[in-house]
């Protein structure tokens, strides 16, 4: 549970450093705890290495305790932020998981939704390397995608 709180605290600090309007760049990986174990293990590992944040829509079996136990098991020794945020699914129009969202510097999102120009999104059970390589081909997201890709690959 401390790891979850720590990940959330780091994310809040990142948002505070971004300045007014929360205009920061974020890498968010949207999941369901019902995804296959192998997929979840890969996602948690890659999210930790790329300094991304895992986003879950709701509680496992409607229980906070079960959700925390499951997330703690998935985190293991990794340093990764996890959020339970159903509004984020709406904000970024995420309708299936896993989905990866990379937001753009300076683009502000309202409480209900983000303009399509404010982020890039990919959906499917593919590696984060693959997604970031595709994002790097988009001019507006290229710099951040390449930075995250280097971090993921262990080249800070």
């Amino acid at each position: 549970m401390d790891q979850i709180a720590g990940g959330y605290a780091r994310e809040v600090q990142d948002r505070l450093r971004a300045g007014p309007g929360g205009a920061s760049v974020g890498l968010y990986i949207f999941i369901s705890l019902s995804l296959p174990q192998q997929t979840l293990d890969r996602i948690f590992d890659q999210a930790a290495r790329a300094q991304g944040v895992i986003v879950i829509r709701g509680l496992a079996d409607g229980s906070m305790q079960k959700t925390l136990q499951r997330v703690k098991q998935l985190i293991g020794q990794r340093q990764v932020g996890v959020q339970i945020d159903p509004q984020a699914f709406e904000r970024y129009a995420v309708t299936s998981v896993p989905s990866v969202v990379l937001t753009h510097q300076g683009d502000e999102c309202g409480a209900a939704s983000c303009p399509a120009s404010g982020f890039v999104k990919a959906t499917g059970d593919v590696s984060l390397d693959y997604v970031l390589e595709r994002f790097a081909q988009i001019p507006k997201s290229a710099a951040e995608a390449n930075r995250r890709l280097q971090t993921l690959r262990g080249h800070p």
Side-chain angles (χ1 to χ4, degrees), residues 102 132-133 135-137 141-150:
L102 181 66
L132 290 171
E133 286 170 358
F135 289 172
Q137 296 173 4
S141 62
E144 184 63 17
N146 280 316
R147 186 184 77 73
R148 297 287 181 144
L149 194 55
Q150 292 302 309

Side-chain angles (χ1 to χ4, degrees), residues 81-133:
V82 177
Q83 296 178 355
I84 300 171
D85 188 353
Q87 287 83 23
F89 280 76
E90 293 176 31
R91 195 174 306 119
Y92 296 107
V94 173
T95 57
S96 61
V97 292
S99 287
V100 177
V101 169
L102 181 66
T103 61
H104 297 136
Q105 182 72 34
D107 286 316
E108 295 186 34
C109 292
S113 66
C114 292
S117 64
F119 64 94
V120 289
K121 178 175 67 174
T123 300
D125 191 2
V126 295
S127 73
L128 192 53
D129 297 75
Y130 178 84
V131 171
L132 290 171
E133 286 170 358

Side-chain angles (χ1 to χ4, degrees), residues 11-146:
E11 178 67 14
V12 169
Q13 289 299 327
D14 288 346
R15 288 183 187 190
L16 291 174
R17 280 193 295 270
S24 64
V25 176
L27 176 65
Y28 303 99
I29 301 96
F30 292 80
I31 67 159
S32 167
L33 294 175
S34 65
L35 288 169
Q37 183 67 39
Q38 184 176 4
T39 298
L40 289 169
D41 287 338
R42 177 180 40 80
I43 289 170
F44 272 74
D45 181 59
Q46 291 187 330
R49 289 188 287 130
Q51 300 173 348
V53 175
I54 304 283
V55 184
I56 303 168
R57 183 183 304 266
L59 303 176
D61 297 327
S63 166
M64 180 60 89
Q65 183 176 7
K66 286 182 181 182
T67 303
L68 291 175
Q69 287 174 339
R70 180 73 172 124
V71 168
K72 185 176 179 180
Q73 173 194 28
L74 289 164
I75 289 174
Q77 297 301 310
R78 300 175 184 107
Q79 297 293 316
V80 62
V82 177
Q83 296 178 355
I84 300 171
D85 188 353
Q87 287 83 23
F89 280 76
E90 293 176 31
R91 195 174 306 119
Y92 296 107
V94 173
T95 57
S96 61
V97 292
S99 287
V100 177
V101 169
L102 181 66
T103 61
H104 297 136
Q105 182 72 34
D107 286 316
E108 295 186 34
C109 292
S113 66
C114 292
S117 64
F119 64 94
V120 289
K121 178 175 67 174
T123 300
D125 191 2
V126 295
S127 73
L128 192 53
D129 297 75
Y130 178 84
V131 171
L132 290 171
E133 286 170 358
R134 297 308 163 268
F135 289 172
Q137 296 173 4
I138 302 167
K140 195 167 185 178
S141 62
E144 184 63 17
N146 280 316

